[in-house]
Amino acid sequence: MKQAKNRLHNVVILGATPAGVAAANKLGELGVPTILVDKEADLDRKLSDDAYRLASGVPLNYANRPGLIRILRNSNIRCLMPAQVRSVRHSQQGFRVQIDPQPTYVDPERCTLCGRCVEVCPVCGQNGHQPIHIESRMALPGRAVIDKRREPLCQANCPLGVNVQGYMALTAAGRYEEALEVIRRDNVLPAICGRICTHPCEAACRRSEKDGALAIRDIKRFVADRASGAPKAASKAVPANGGDPIAIIGSGPTGLAAAADLARQGFPVTVYEREKEAGGLLRYGIGPHRLPRKILDEELAAIEAEGVRFVTGHEVAMPEGLARMGRDHRAVIVTTGSWADRNLGVEGESLKGVEGCLSYLNRFYRGDDNHVSGRVAVIGDGNAAFDLARVLNRQGAKVTMVSWFGRDEIPADADEAQAAFEEGIEFRERCQVVGFSGNNGSLKAVQVRATQPGPADADGIAWPVIVPESRTEALAFERAFVAIGQTGAYSDMPSSNGWHVSDRGLIASDEFGRSGMAGVYVAGDAATGATSVVKAMADGRRVAGKVVEDLSGWAAGHGQRRIVALRPETQDFDPVPEDLPRQERTVMPELPVERRQVNFNEVALGFDEEQARSEAARCLQCGSCAQCLACLPVCEVNQAICHDEETETILENTGVLIVADPEMAPGIRGDDVIRAYGPPAAKTDVHAMMLRGFSAAARAMVLLKQHGMRMKGRGISFVPPDAGLDRNVRIGVFACRCNDSLGWSEGMDACLAQLNTQEDIVHCEAVPSACTPEGIQHLVDAVRDQGLTRLVLASCVCCPLNFVCSACTDQRSRLKQGLFEGTDISRSMVQTINLRGEVLRHLAKDEALAVSLFEGIITRSVRRARKLLPFPAPVRNYNFTTAVIGQTEAARYAALTLARAGFEVLMFGSAKHPLDETPDHSHIFAFDGSSVQAVGGTIGNFQIHTECGDGPRTFNVGGVILGEKSRNIAIYQHHVDLPGVKVQARMQKDQVPGIPYMYPCATSIAGLFLADPPGIQISKRTKGEAAAVMSAAAMPNGPRQSRGFSVVIDKTLCRGCGRCLKACPYQAISLTINGLTDNKKPGFTAVVDDALCKGCGNCISVCPSNAADSPFRDQVYLEQTLEELLMAGSRS
Amino acid sequence: MQAEFKIVLFLCNWGPHAAYQALQDQGADIPMEIKMVRIPCSGRISKALLFKPFEMGADGVILLGCTPGSCRYGTGTASALENSEDTRQILDLLGLGRERLQLGNFLPDEPEALLDFLNDFTDRVRRMGKTPVAAPVAIKDQPYSEEAPEAIAARHDVFACQDCGKCTSACSLALAGKPFSPRFVATEVIAGHADRLQVRESVNACLTCGVCYDRCPSAVNFPEFIKEMRAYYHHREVGGAPAHGGFFQSMMRAMTSETVQPKRWQNLPEGIRTSKQSPVLFFGGCASYFDIFFRKFLGVETERILEDSLRLLNFFDVEPMLMENERCCGHDLLWSGDRENFLRLAKLNAQAIADSGAEEIITACPECYHTLATEYARHGLELPVKVTHMHAFLEREIGKGAVAFKTPEGRFTFQDACRQSRFNGEAELPRKLLKKMFAKTPDALVDAQAPTECCGNSAWIGCDAFSKQMQVQRLERVRQSGSDKMITACPKCQIHLRCAMEDAMHGDDLRVEMMDLTSAIARSIYWA
């Protein structure tokens, strides 16, 4: 670096390794804004790695759980998990880090880990993993994670974008109604498309590479038929506004799709149809053997049920009628299709007996012509031609198809052609109709010439050409039907007033479907020419969307809330497993040929349930999450699932960069990159890793020193801001239903209602989820509004204390934080019950038991709430100077690091080595020749008893760092008349009892640290820096709430026997003169130092006279609990 | 459904809590019998709390802590082991069986092992069957009818108090500096202020040593008055909290169930001769329980008193009968106000004594002696046998001659047992024995003429900084008198004075060797 950076006061830590977490903890305690980034989603899982297991046998995630929870609750720390680092660059202010947070689609502040989403998710991936999963209730952050991949190809290839994977999953799970709902979101004609769709989805199916594409269309049909009836979700939509309707002219697929979309968004819609019945091409163009009319009627009814009004037998003259329509309607969409048959353009086409396909079908379905017999030709080889041939065949005609292409090249669907051949339809391949010959104006023969494949065009299609020397052959037919396609219906119409018609007879429009006439749109075949049903529908929706957009003021939100689920387009699918068990595509059973004659019974019979489910289960679930949104209703209260979560790259300008996991940030170089990891060959020593993390935090602290406002001197008093316990008892009872994830019973409501009759219970309520922001706010509001002074909180929270044990969860801690921090609600006024763990878990198996447990536990808690004790509120004085004792290399680094970070340091020699050499820094005050005899006192207020050259002197400091190895540190004296005790500094080890859990560098005395912790192979410098940051972070930087768990000793009962002193590993207990003196030997009484006490209560169990007790769950409380659990008549 | 058995689970917040919670989250089938109480550390649960559930009718108790080496606080594992082992031994003595209490140690990631443990324990309890301890009767449901403090005062003629203050000036507690005055209690109760906190506290603090009664010119029987006032408070459920977490009262209440069959005499040393049929019944008392309970801290060996008593009986050719299922005499329940349970115990004892066919009961414990000989009769239970204190037996036998004593080494002093010297007016009895013991070296017995003050506690209540102060003063005087050994007449004097010697500050300054008079005689007597 050529020039010193002017660093921003924040830190980015890459990698939540033990080192990264340790660094984050210390920086968080120092109040430095910190971002912790990791690839994984869950801190708990990350640290549960067996490599990090401590020598005591405890996995690190449990041992360091308080630290992990504090990271989540520290407002200075932001956890970006899971996330990837895109780039890291040096900048003048430090570093510019680009971070790509990976979406989890679940809000960590709102998720309650209730697990209902996981239960309801129908998807089970190939490896058995659900796309939404909960690692455990211990997850940190405590939220479910949804795995999504890019859009599955089936959906991408569907013009309507139907969520195929979604309904495959739901079908496989036997949840047909939901499956149908998923289909209907994008396709309002599921039963119809389940029969006649050209299913481009299947062509894209990744399973086709293996053992055949999924029979998607057939499954759709099954679902639609099975779950038919008015769809539940789309119950009669009420137009949001009684304004003018939108008119849709034409009730074919385009019009229906557009109408349904508009209706769903709250618009009144009227569909005008010139024929007697709605359906357009679906009714007047497609054979009932493929599309039974009952199905069509049902689908129309379903659309009507969504609020679409149909007006049939209403012809609108084009274009004149449009102007009038425009006056009565907010907009008009023309979806009249392309009804004209294409001509062959050969001689004799106007003979009687020669007719276009659609023209005939139209008359046939209207009932105008239903008798065709004799030898008939169908000219053409597309789907329409085959359909026509089969319709004619069913009337008893002898049908021959005259095809341009060879039999293997025809463009119609293979199954459609196959069905026709099976039904006995003859097929003349490779001949082109060159004319019709007749007699008396009636057809007699069709003249054809042989064709051969021509040169392939750009798409690879070899369009047939007439074999040059072939001769014309006359084929005798009584009637011939030209089925070579359609053109627009408006070819004869002149353009006027913005109404333009193309030479293909199509209505001209811009790319958004707007015609030249104001407010008139065109969609579907009328604009694009003939396509498939699904494309026509897609076009209808596209234009409908544009209409909505154009009608400003009708923005989304009027109708059904539509969640646009997002997918990460860069996340690819898992590869199709090599060992995927082979399972052939299920073949749809069909009506036997002999039973198809002279009737229009549906040929394809549909799947039975077993077939449908097993076929749907073949789906590879390419996109992982199917986006079926089945999880949304169960999370309605919490609103934690956000399928539309969008993540953007975060550009973080940071002053300091700590790399704890080199894989997270390859390539960044520079002296000022703080690295908190060892060489790759280093054995995983979790304590060394933590020391590296502490040391990294220390270096960060030094780099940021110019911003660090350091407390200096002493005398600041921190008064715990606790509201205390009001004498007036006004009890509020809150039972958290945990989103009903384990169920809820009316009996519990009845129990709560019963409580309301007690005089001092002023509020009783079951809340849906207590730990969500709304839940917490609701509790706080209730306390304030009703002046509650005692709370019974029945949720999953086990204690109201400012205390984290290895079983605490994100949900518990955030509820406690929300309830107690900055709200004026005292922890001492709350009686907590782990309702979830102790009661609700029984509900599913035995409701009566659960209700009786509920009554018992609530009643007991109310009784206890009346007897709650206030927590003591100690006021403390603090000194912000640190003493460093000894002059080992590590001690000197510790002193220097603190000094450079802006702390004042006093340096002394140790008992054996008087101080002779000190680092040169203006913040270090060295006492040459001094040697420390003893250390007494407590964090924030230690006394260093030294022997200086001029005699004994005592210094007051806030923190102490010992340079000597632990075997030498028998210098701590909690009382002048008692021998110094050996401070515990060893780390816990399996089967070696007596050592409390400590972080490396720490000792059993809070505020007293070791610069050179033994048994950890790492540099002296790292150790010294680690000790420095430990000491710095231990300095108070804000008021502390009173700790209800500290033991309090009743002076009148204390016998001063000292058993408690021996029981306390933290030296939290000392003796003071109790005033009962006979002038010879004073009596002593034990006192507990609130700053050192950890609340374990080991002293309580050895006290002979009941003098020691904890205000939280004291002896009386425990005895009452036992009594209530055991005595006759009590229920628990 | 509610389970038939009741098992209390004390669950440490760290390793086992995480494991237990995983079981809850997994919906595992934790046996319905188990009732969980969360605690900060397994070392937090005192023996009293470990035993309390048994008094309440629990069929089993589990204490769950962290595996050795992983206790969050370091000391919990060892404390839990000591506390549970001691309690298990006491359960054995009581006939409940040590198997009903189990310590378990788990890591947080061992839910499966924990579930197995819970299932195994529950199965074991089911096999053992219901606890023999009947669930206690709630105080409000007890038949004892409350007596007005004024009536109690009247019965004990407290109105006769002349307000002279002699009692207060002689009271050991008052002398130790405690703001305590028998006269104050008397006048307040007479004035109708019995329910005032200060009065109540004083009633609980009284040592019931009887010095005041000795001094009272109006012969107001203050200890009797205090005893009944305590019963009054107990009935109103405002009694004081007994020391040691109420362990002993708890244990004694458990013994009030007829179905409890203590196994009292399991570990007698070899060579002691007893008989199934004998006109003499030896009544031991609670020394064995005390020794287990105080093993770690005081190292008292009060059971030796019983063994030495039996040896002395054998020495004088008496082969006494022992009651295998001997229960506590009930002294401490009576004197801590729980008259109901005292009576239950007394009835069971009276029946058992009657059934034994013995003609004479000998006991070495002054409390047992006083209770059996005096209190039972006062409460309407006339025993069909003669009750003899060990000292009286010895005085009788030694008086026959032909025995001599080895010369004791060191300088001795004597500590009176108030139930013997003041309640039964037998202060001279031990002194006669001492005189014989020290016949050759009278100078070795120091300062033992007048009855001494109380050891500082009675009935496991009222223990506080002042009783400690009193005991310290007593021991200091002993040291100042030049004694280094103390002869006691009651196991509790040993316990309480030893407790005072256990002092972080005074250390060895107060240390005095202690032995019971019976033991001292047993160890020095021989046939001349």
Side-chain angles (χ1 to χ4, degrees), chain A residues 290-326:
Chain A
R290 291 176 64 213
L291 174 53
R293 293 304 180 255
K294 182 173 161 286
I295 300 291
L296 173 58
D297 291 340
E298 283 173 3
E299 305 251 272
L300 287 167
I303 293 170
E304 200 166 6
E306 296 206 39
V308 176
R309 193 173 148 244
F310 287 94
V311 177
T312 52
H314 183 106
E315 174 132 27
V316 178
M318 299 285 178
E320 314 84 70
L322 289 175
R324 202 178 62 245
M325 293 227 89

Side-chain angles (χ1 to χ4, degrees), chain A residues 50 53 56-59 62-66 137-138 796 798-799 803-809 812 834 836-838 841-842 845-846 849 852-853 975 977-978 988-999 1051-1059 1061-1066 1071-1072 1074 1076-1078 1080-1084 1094-1106 1109-1110 1112-1115 1118-1119 1121-1123 1125-1132, chain B residues 1-2 6-8 10 13-25 27-30 32 35-49 52-54 56-59 67-80 83 107-109 135-138 176-178 237 241-246 294 296-298 456-457 462-469 471-473 476 480 496 499-506 509-510:
Chain A
D50 233 18
R53 193 178 283 263
S56 62
V58 182
Y62 287 108
N64 192 28
R65 194 150 184 91
R137 284 193 59 79
M138 306 298 280
C796 61
C798 350
C799 81
F803 169 79
V804 181
C805 75
S806 61
C808 203
T809 63
R812 288 171 175 162
N834 180 0
R836 204 189 134 87
E838 285 162 40
R841 74 180 159 103
H842 294 292
K845 284 183 205 147
D846 188 343
L849 169 74
S852 95
L853 291 177
H975 192 281
D977 293 338
L978 290 172
Q988 288 193 325
K989 201 171 169 207
D990 187 26
Q991 301 302 322
V992 182
I995 309 164
Y997 175 80
M998 284 175 289
Y999 291 107
K1051 276 185 189 167
T1052 62
L1053 291 178
C1054 176
R1055 291 174 54 87
C1057 65
R1059 291 182 193 184
L1061 267 74
K1062 292 189 187 114
C1064 181
Y1066 300 104
L1071 295 174
T1072 57
N1074 67 359
L1076 307 185
T1077 172
D1078 58 359
K1080 279 171 272 176
K1081 291 211 155 83
F1084 286 88
K1094 299 278 196 288
C1096 70
N1098 278 268
C1099 53
I1100 303 175
S1101 82
V1102 296
C1103 177
S1105 59
N1106 313 344
D1109 213 340
S1110 160
F1112 178 70
R1113 294 183 184 164
D1114 62 349
Q1115 170 93 4
L1118 289 171
E1119 283 184 6
T1121 303
L1122 291 172
E1123 192 175 322
L1125 287 173
L1126 293 166
M1127 297 271 278
S1130 73
R1131 277 186 285 195
S1132 56
Chain B
M1 52 147 243
Q2 298 281 342
K6 287 180 172 178
I7 296 172
V8 167
F10 290 110
N13 253 343
W14 295 95
H17 183 197
Y20 190 82
Q21 190 172 282
L23 292 179
Q24 288 183 329
D25 286 341
D29 278 322
I30 301 169
M32 280 308 302
K35 294 158 194 313
M36 184 268 285
V37 179
R38 208 179 292 96
I39 50 171
C41 174
S42 55
R44 157 76 176 86
I45 296 304
S46 59
K47 294 168 208 171
L49 280 169
K52 193 77 184 171
F54 291 109
M56 303 277 183
D59 301 296
T67 57
S70 73
C71 170
R72 192 77 180 181
Y73 310 108
T75 53
T77 328
S79 300
N83 287 336
L107 287 172
D109 58 343
V137 181
K178 189 176 173 87
E237 298 186 65
H244 305 290
F294 293 110
K296 182 179 175 191
F297 288 103
L298 307 179
N457 288 101
C463 177
D464 62 10
F466 293 98
S467 31
K468 165 77 175 278
Q469 182 68 12
Q471 290 154 352
V472 169
Q473 287 169 0
E476 280 170 348
Q480 281 158 15
H496 295 139
C499 183
M501 292 179 209
E502 185 196 31
D503 187 301
M505 287 297 188
H506 294 138
D509 299 357
L510 298 173

Side-chain angles (χ1 to χ4, degrees), chain B residues 370-527:
Chain B
H370 171 75
T371 309
L372 293 171
T374 312
E375 296 289 359
Y376 277 28
R378 272 187 196 155
H379 289 85
L381 291 162
E382 293 286 353
L383 295 179
V385 294
K386 181 182 168 204
V387 182
T388 306
H389 191 282
M390 192 67 202
H391 295 173
F393 169 82
L394 289 173
E395 173 66 15
R396 189 167 78 203
E397 293 296 324
I398 294 167
K400 292 174 184 168
V403 295
F405 298 90
K406 285 180 254 174
T407 310
E409 284 177 26
R411 289 169 70 81
F412 295 77
T413 190
F414 179 68
Q415 170 67 31
D416 277 279
C418 36
R419 295 303 181 253
Q420 179 181 50
S421 59
R422 276 183 286 273
F423 278 37
N424 290 330
E426 290 172 352
E428 281 313 304
L429 182 55
R431 288 187 168 74
K432 284 181 196 164
L433 293 171
L434 287 168
K435 202 172 260 176
K436 285 172 184 155
M437 251 186 87
F438 289 93
K440 292 177 204 156
T441 52
D443 289 351
L445 194 60
V446 183
D447 196 21
Q449 280 70 48
T452 53
E453 61 268 51
C454 173
C455 69
N457 288 101
S458 165
W460 311 112
I461 57 175
C463 177
D464 62 10
F466 293 98
S467 31
K468 165 77 175 278
Q469 182 68 12
M470 212 181 115
Q471 290 154 352
V472 169
Q473 287 169 0
R474 166 77 181 125
L475 291 169
E476 280 170 348
R477 271 200 302 280
V478 170
R479 294 289 297 251
Q480 281 158 15
S481 72
S483 306
D484 52 3
K485 294 192 172 96
M486 180 183 258
I487 294 178
T488 58
C490 175
K492 286 187 182 159
C493 293
Q494 283 206 13
I495 291 168
H496 295 139
L497 289 170
R498 258 181 209 264
C499 183
M501 292 179 209
E502 185 196 31
D503 187 301
M505 287 297 188
H506 294 138
D508 293 338
D509 299 357
L510 298 173
R511 222 158 273 286
V512 173
E513 200 181 304
M514 284 199 281
M515 67 182 67
D516 189 83
L517 178 56
T518 307
S519 288
I521 291 174
R523 275 141 209 254
S524 59
I525 196 167
Y526 61 93
W527 290 108

Side-chain angles (χ1 to χ4, degrees), chain A residues 262-283:
Chain A
L262 292 168
R264 284 177 183 178
Q265 289 175 72
F267 293 95
V269 183
T270 308
V271 177
Y272 296 94
E273 170 59 50
R274 67 174 175 186
E275 301 287 347
K276 271 197 291 192
E277 289 181 83
L281 186 91
L282 302 169
R283 187 181 296 279

